[in-house]
Amino acid sequence: MQTWYRVDLPLEECCRNGKADQLQKAFEVMFIARGQPNNAALFELHDDKFETNGFYFSPLAATFVGNLIEHFSGVECAPPVVSDRLVLLVGHSAAYEVLRNEQRIREVLSGVHLCPPTS
């Protein structure tokens, strides 16, 4: 599985015309310019305490918005966990299903021992 990236912004930056708005608008322009690729997506996830919003870039999206991610001090991360707090901001609705399937695969693999234990 490929690398995801995340930009974290404090809640006060997630207002109209704040950094979160700027990030989303810039991503949307690049997404459209690239022909709206199927597997490119930008998600937003609110933390448990609603203090920080994480903006997740799918692996394909990260390949063409690297400068944007760098500008906003993004970091490599695990894919977001599908929950009711995860919102697809830009991308095709099928991006949710791709993410759910990847999550299921990770869950299955985490319970599978690839090598039998040695005695």
Side-chain angles (χ1 to χ4, degrees), residues 2 4 16 27 56 67 80-81 84 97 112:
Q2 299 174 333
W4 283 74
R16 186 178 197 134
F27 179 85
Y56 289 82
N67 290 339
V81 175
D84 59 346
E97 197 54 40
V112 173

Side-chain angles (χ1 to χ4, degrees), residues 5 32 49 92 102-103 107 115:
Y5 285 84
I32 291 169
K49 298 177 184 174
H92 301 280
E102 287 179 4
Q103 186 172 322
E107 289 169 356
C115 299

Side-chain angles (χ1 to χ4, degrees), residues 1 5 8 29 32-33 58 62 64 67 72-73 86 102 109 114:
M1 298 192 198
Y5 285 84
D8 291 324
V29 166
I32 291 169
S58 68
F64 64 83
N67 290 339
F72 282 91
S73 303
L86 185 66
E102 287 179 4
L109 290 178
L114 298 178

Side-chain angles (χ1 to χ4, degrees), residues 1 98 100-111:
M1 298 192 198
V98 170
R100 274 191 197 94
N101 289 337
E102 287 179 4
Q103 186 172 322
R104 287 183 195 121
I105 290 168
R106 283 191 304 279
E107 289 169 356
V108 167
L109 290 178
S110 69

Side-chain angles (χ1 to χ4, degrees), residues 8-74:
D8 291 324
L9 294 175
L11 194 57
E12 60 268 11
E13 293 291 348
C14 298
C15 58
R16 186 178 197 134
N17 296 320
K19 286 185 179 179
D21 242 7
Q22 296 167 18
L23 176 71
Q24 182 177 345
K25 288 175 184 175
F27 179 85
E28 190 168 16
V29 166
M30 293 179 205
F31 176 76
I32 291 169
R34 286 290 180 137
Q36 302 175 346
N38 286 334
N39 293 331
L42 173 63
F43 292 92
E44 180 178 16
L45 181 67
H46 306 283
D47 73 356
D48 292 335
K49 298 177 184 174
F50 291 96
E51 295 174 351
T52 303
N53 289 6
F55 295 85
Y56 289 82
F57 297 85
S58 68
L60 180 60
T63 65
F64 64 83
V65 296
N67 290 339
L68 181 66
I69 294 168
E70 186 176 323
H71 176 75
F72 282 91
S73 303

